[in-house]
Amino acid sequence: MDKAIQIILNATHDAMIAIDKQGRITLFNHAAEKLTKKEASVVMGKSITEVIDNTRLLHVMKSKAPELNQRQHLENVEIITNRMPLFDEAGDIIGAVAIFRDISEMVTLAEEITNLREIQVMLEAVFSSTQDAISVVDQNGKHILVNPAYSRIMGLTEAEVIGKDFSVDLIEGDSVHKQVLETGKLVEGILLRGGRLKRDVVAS
């Protein structure tokens, strides 16, 4: 193989394995070494089935049809691979090549995102259905979230509160939001009067 081409193939992030018509490995780049934990110097010339036991390169060569964006387990990792037959100028099959990369981290991340979404849906359901009034402010004391119970008890709509200072709903008493922001500590059982309905409430 031309040296310049070999350098390029070894520099690419994608792993590449090619076989000849007899199913013997003719290309095994650095990325393939890293993923399979096998050295090219050891596997070159060997049958592909000796190196990758669940290979489909022989099937691709036999069918003469590519297999694109296929997921496959390779040792302890999951890969996504494109497998393509190789033809000579006369159109005769001369081998096959697989180009693949590790997607284990992406799969794990996708699962974590799914779990986070499920948790978010659950929390939103609890937040909306609880009978306790809840208001959330950011580090600057600006309201960023209120639940339906808050609007019902305080007589203030979400639009009237979001983006406003923590004192927007306060008539009498010291804001628990302000105390928590200043001290960084839990505040419980504070008697306040607030909202359009001027109701007496106990806040934590």
Side-chain angles (χ1 to χ4, degrees):
M1 184 183 298
D2 183 89
K3 187 174 181 180
I5 295 177
Q6 184 69 51
I7 291 172
I8 293 171
L9 293 176
N10 281 328
T12 183
H13 178 70
D14 289 328
M16 297 182 186
I17 300 177
I19 59 172
D20 62 16
K21 195 173 182 180
Q22 286 71 43
R24 295 174 304 210
I25 295 174
T26 57
L27 169 65
F28 205 86
N29 72 350
H30 286 338
E33 289 182 311
K34 184 178 179 180
L35 276 180
T36 63
K37 296 180 173 57
K38 296 178 172 67
E39 294 183 11
S41 59
V42 175
V43 303
M44 289 293 285
K46 284 189 175 182
S47 171
I48 184 63
T49 55
E50 293 181 47
V51 180
I52 310 293
D53 58 7
N54 62 344
T55 181
R56 285 186 56 84
L57 282 180
L58 296 177
H59 175 79
V60 167
M61 191 162 55
K62 184 177 180 180
S63 68
K64 299 182 181 180
E67 295 181 348
L68 304 178
N69 298 318
Q70 300 297 303
R71 289 170 68 167
Q72 177 184 347
H73 286 283
L74 190 66
E75 299 295 334
N76 296 321
V77 300
E78 187 171 6
I79 63 171
I80 188 164
T81 178
N82 292 319
R83 311 180 189 100
M84 292 159 286
L86 299 174
F87 302 94
D88 62 15
E89 292 180 356
D92 297 322
I93 191 78
I94 58 172
V97 61
I99 303 172
F100 53 98
R101 64 174 54 190
D102 182 3
I103 61 167
S104 299
E105 291 183 359
M106 287 186 285
V107 170
T108 300
L109 180 60
E111 291 172 349
E112 290 176 353
I113 290 172
T114 299
N115 290 337
L116 287 173
R117 284 175 179 163
E118 291 174 353
I119 292 170
Q120 181 181 5
V121 169
M122 179 185 68
L123 291 176
E124 286 176 351
V126 172
F127 184 79
S128 297
S129 62
T130 182
Q131 297 303 303
D132 292 325
I134 300 174
S135 69
V136 182
V137 300
D138 63 16
Q139 68 271 27
N140 298 313
K142 301 292 184 183
H143 278 90
I144 57 174
L145 204 61
V146 295
N147 71 340
Y150 172 91
S151 294
R152 184 177 66 255
I153 292 171
M154 303 303 282
L156 296 169
T157 66
E158 184 177 328
E160 291 177 299
V161 177
I162 299 302
K164 303 292 178 57
D165 186 82
F166 53 67
S167 62
V168 67
D169 55 5
L170 193 62
I171 296 175
E172 292 180 16
D174 294 326
S175 167
V176 292
H177 285 309
K178 180 181 179 183
Q179 293 178 58
V180 171
L181 287 172
E182 289 178 347
T183 66
K185 296 179 180 179
L186 174 68
V187 176
E188 293 183 286
I190 304 299
L191 184 62
L192 303 173
R193 177 170 293 178
R196 180 172 289 114
L197 302 177
K198 299 181 180 179
R199 282 184 168 162
D200 292 326
V201 297
V202 177
S204 296

